[in-house]
Amino acid sequence: MNILIINAFGTSPSAKAKYTSFCNLIKNTLKRISKNTGIDSCSFTYKDPTNIDEYIYDPDFNPNEGTKTNITNKKNFDKIDMIFIDGCEKYLPWERIGYKLSLLIRLCKVCNKILYAGGVGLEILVYYLATGSRNELNFINAKGEVQSIEEIHLIP
């Protein structure tokens, strides 16, 4: 299983500590549930929002007419099984600095990629909901059940 973890916390010592804690939580959780899910091993890739270009592509491109970069990026994105994003609000979708992260989250939505969005990732999802993407997102509650956006107020 290929896991992409995106650090949107920043570079300060406290941000690095939060990111380390976030990564350890993901690794420990996957290790704990691997026995029940049949996951043999996990491969982790660590990125920050400024260096995720290799995963971003235009989902509407025609593979026969697409550029080499677009096709390569699609293959890279398809190899990832799960994406985890967490961090500070510095990378908001309407800010230029948050554009790449916003595109990656949009690709997750379009391609039904498994995405954990905490912090800024969740803020970007809320932005999508506020700008007309409401019927395309489902949420998983604390019990592991899928809920629609209309039921989000029921998630404890």
Side-chain angles (χ1 to χ4, degrees):
M1 179 176 282
N2 295 317
I3 311 292
L4 175 62
I5 301 176
I6 299 177
N7 174 11
F9 286 104
T11 57
S12 71
S14 66
K16 288 179 182 178
K18 288 177 186 177
Y19 178 63
T20 300
S21 176
F22 178 61
C23 289
N24 289 337
L25 179 65
I26 293 166
K27 288 178 182 178
N28 292 336
T29 301
L30 289 174
K31 191 183 297 182
R32 191 178 72 241
I33 65 171
S34 66
K35 297 171 189 168
N36 299 333
T37 60
I39 299 170
D40 292 334
S41 64
C42 292
S43 170
F44 295 93
T45 303
Y46 305 95
K47 298 286 184 176
D48 64 59
T50 61
N51 66 357
I52 57 175
D53 293 348
E54 66 193 88
Y55 302 104
I56 297 173
Y57 68 96
D58 179 3
D60 298 323
F61 85 101
N62 179 344
N64 298 323
E65 300 172 7
T67 65
K68 186 176 181 179
T69 301
N70 209 25
I71 292 168
T72 302
N73 290 4
K74 181 181 182 343
K75 287 179 182 177
N76 291 339
F77 183 79
D78 288 344
K79 289 177 186 175
I80 300 296
D81 297 306
M82 299 175 77
I83 298 175
F84 292 84
I85 301 170
D86 200 356
C88 68
E89 64 281 347
K90 175 180 173 182
Y91 299 98
L92 294 174
W94 52 85
E95 299 287 340
R96 184 165 178 80
I97 193 169
Y99 183 69
K100 291 178 186 179
L101 190 57
S102 184
L103 286 176
L104 184 71
I105 290 174
R106 178 178 173 269
L107 282 173
C108 290
K109 182 181 65 141
V110 169
C111 298
N112 291 318
K113 187 72 67 175
I114 297 172
L115 170 69
Y116 169 87
V120 70
L122 185 58
E123 290 173 348
I124 291 172
L125 286 174
V126 170
Y127 174 78
Y128 281 136
L129 293 173
T131 56
S133 298
R134 79 176 10 219
N135 60 351
E136 300 173 20
L137 297 174
N138 288 313
F139 297 87
I140 298 176
N141 66 19
K143 297 177 186 174
E145 301 164 336
V146 176
Q147 290 185 287
S148 68
I149 187 62
E150 289 80 18
E151 300 171 318
I152 196 168
H153 66 281
L154 301 173
I155 297 176

